[in-house]
Amino acid sequence: MSHRNSYEDLSLKEMGDRATTPTYWKTEEEWLTKHHPSALLLNDDDDENDGIEGREEEEKQRTNQNNSLIAKLKKQLKSEGKQLVVFLDYDGTLSPIVSQPEKAFMSEETRRAVQTVAKKFPTAIVSGRAREKVYDFVKLDELYYAGSHGLDIAGPKGSPDIDYKPCLWAEDVMQNVFETLKKKLDSIKGAVVETNVFCVSAHYRQCENEEDEAEVEKAVDEIVAQNKDNLRKHSGKKVWEVKPKVDWDKGKALSYLLEALKLNDRKDVISMYLGDDVTDEDAFEVLRKLSDDETQGDGVGIVVTKVPKQTKASYSLRDTDEVLQFLTKVGNIDV
């Protein structure tokens, strides 16, 4: 079992704005222990304790046993009879962030872990990618899929029960945005324009310099300005996204799925969401509100990040490897 390394080896440049933005923590340790403890904290029932080298490291891992999410889930699901529902982002959560979006493949081991979880608990993928596109990556029929940041939602393959698109008008508009943006950025080396049916992504991770990156943003700004009543710009990890100006996001997609599954307004339901990007914060906020409402069930947000950052998630995981470890543990819970 691998353990977290210190964040101190990351430079200020690698941390980006997170290094200079006013924060609610002073040290990495405070961020991890007080605000967003690892979802992989060990507990007395964890068989992987045997692999820890040294009693000192073992005791360190056990320091916050009461915060162990796995231990809490085992108790709630086995002893208290609660129901778990799992929501997963794709890029940066199930698959590593890559320079070429079309090559963001998840590992077979991760696919098996997700499938095992889905056999026990309702499981949904909530992604910024087009729904069919993220399905082609995941290749699991038993999941619920919410593509285009929740603007295109469908149930498991062969199930007609869930098929929801809150703004059908946007499909034609976004196709025009895609074609226009592609022409504007065709001469910029490294710029990649991706259509996600109900939103369009302009990736600049492969651009050669900051000037080209600025040109990508300028082109996006021009398109949004031409149709500001219907379009808005959103930032992501080395990507600018054009979305329809509607009151909808990943948090609302989560709420819709809970209602469609008849798992809303129930105190015996635990809603858990794993994500790494700023767009996932809307889902984390919904989960916070669930937990704060005594008439609702528990909401568990888990942010995937290598550096401390401002987030509304309750727990954290460092990277996709830790996500795999965590999902494997969830799938191993007997219910």
Side-chain angles (χ1 to χ4, degrees):
M1 177 178 177
S2 62
H3 303 295
R4 288 172 176 266
N5 296 318
S6 172
Y7 294 117
E8 294 176 358
D9 58 339
L10 293 168
S11 66
L12 293 180
K13 182 178 181 180
E14 288 174 307
M15 291 178 70
D17 292 339
R18 298 170 187 168
T20 55
T21 302
T23 60
Y24 50 84
W25 70 91
K26 295 181 180 179
T27 64
E28 169 198 337
E29 182 179 4
E30 180 184 345
W31 189 88
L32 281 172
T33 58
K34 184 178 179 181
H35 300 290
H36 313 287
S38 170
L40 282 174
L41 281 172
L42 300 183
N43 58 79
D44 288 333
D45 296 326
D46 199 321
D47 294 335
E48 295 187 28
N49 286 348
D50 296 336
I52 297 176
E53 296 181 2
R55 295 294 300 175
E56 183 177 344
E57 178 66 16
E58 182 176 345
E59 291 303 319
K60 182 178 179 181
Q61 292 291 329
R62 292 175 183 270
T63 300
N64 292 312
Q65 285 183 29
N66 290 335
N67 289 328
S68 172
L69 179 55
I70 293 297
K72 184 177 181 181
L73 287 174
K74 285 181 178 179
K75 179 182 178 183
Q76 290 176 316
L77 298 177
K78 295 173 67 175
S79 303
E80 301 174 13
K82 292 191 175 183
Q83 166 75 59
L84 176 66
V85 56
V86 180
F87 300 90
L88 303 166
D89 178 35
Y90 184 75
D91 293 274
T93 301
L94 296 179
S95 73
I97 297 293
V98 295
S99 58
Q100 297 173 283
E102 70 276 9
K103 295 184 178 181
F105 303 112
M106 66 191 298
S107 69
E108 286 299 325
E109 192 175 8
T110 298
R111 182 174 290 105
R112 287 193 296 269
V114 173
Q115 187 173 39
T116 299
V117 170
K119 287 179 178 178
K120 295 183 177 182
F121 316 110
T123 302
I125 304 294
V126 186
S127 172
R129 291 181 182 265
R131 177 172 57 82
E132 290 296 337
K133 191 179 295 184
V134 75
Y135 170 80
D136 288 340
F137 278 117
V138 179
K139 302 184 189 309
L140 293 175
D141 291 345
E142 55 266 61
L143 304 186
Y144 298 83
Y145 289 88
S148 301
H149 298 285
L151 291 170
D152 185 2
I153 304 175
K157 287 287 183 178
S159 170
D161 295 341
I162 297 178
D163 184 6
Y164 186 60
K165 299 175 179 64
C167 61
L168 283 170
W169 60 265
E171 186 169 358
D172 290 340
V173 173
M174 288 301 159
Q175 181 60 31
N176 181 61
V177 168
F178 169 69
E179 294 172 357
T180 304
L181 191 56
K182 195 169 179 59
K183 290 179 182 177
K184 284 179 174 287
L185 299 181
D186 188 56
S187 62
I188 300 179
K189 187 176 181 179
V192 178
V193 183
E194 180 184 18
T195 176
N196 290 306
V197 182
F198 290 96
C199 58
V200 174
S201 302
H203 301 269
Y204 56 89
R205 186 175 296 275
Q206 299 182 76
C207 287
E208 296 182 339
N209 51 62
E210 293 183 356
E211 289 75 16
D212 286 348
E213 292 179 0
E215 286 299 313
V216 172
E217 183 178 10
K218 179 182 176 182
V220 170
D221 286 340
E222 289 174 351
I223 288 176
V224 173
Q226 291 170 3
N227 193 357
K228 59 184 179 180
D229 290 336
N230 294 316
L231 301 177
R232 60 190 174 102
K233 181 182 78 170
H234 198 99
S235 64
K237 290 184 175 180
K238 293 290 184 178
V239 61
W240 292 107
E241 294 185 292
V242 181
K243 301 179 181 179
K245 187 179 284 187
V246 293
D247 186 21
W248 198 262
D249 50 45
K250 288 185 175 183
K252 291 199 167 48
L254 183 156
S255 297
Y256 169 81
L257 279 167
L258 285 177
E259 183 175 354
L261 293 169
K262 295 180 171 51
L263 296 174
N264 63 315
D265 297 329
R266 285 176 48 180
K267 297 182 68 173
D268 64 334
V269 171
I270 306 165
S271 304
M272 184 168 68
Y273 187 105
L274 281 70
D276 72 303
D277 207 349
V278 63
T279 57
D280 299 307
E281 291 297 324
D282 295 311
F284 295 150
E285 183 176 11
V286 168
L287 296 181
R288 284 271 183 179
K289 291 179 179 178
L290 285 178
S291 292
D292 291 340
D293 188 339
E294 294 183 355
T295 67
Q296 300 291 327
D298 292 332
V300 180
I302 304 175
V303 65
V304 182
T305 179
K306 289 185 176 181
V307 297
K309 66 175 182 178
Q310 297 189 58
T311 178
K312 294 172 184 175
S314 302
Y315 294 88
S316 65
L317 291 168
R318 184 177 173 85
D319 50 30
T320 55
D321 289 336
E322 287 199 355
V323 169
L324 170 58
Q325 292 177 42
F326 178 75
L327 291 177
T328 299
K329 289 176 180 291
V330 173
N332 287 336
I333 296 176
D334 293 326
V335 293

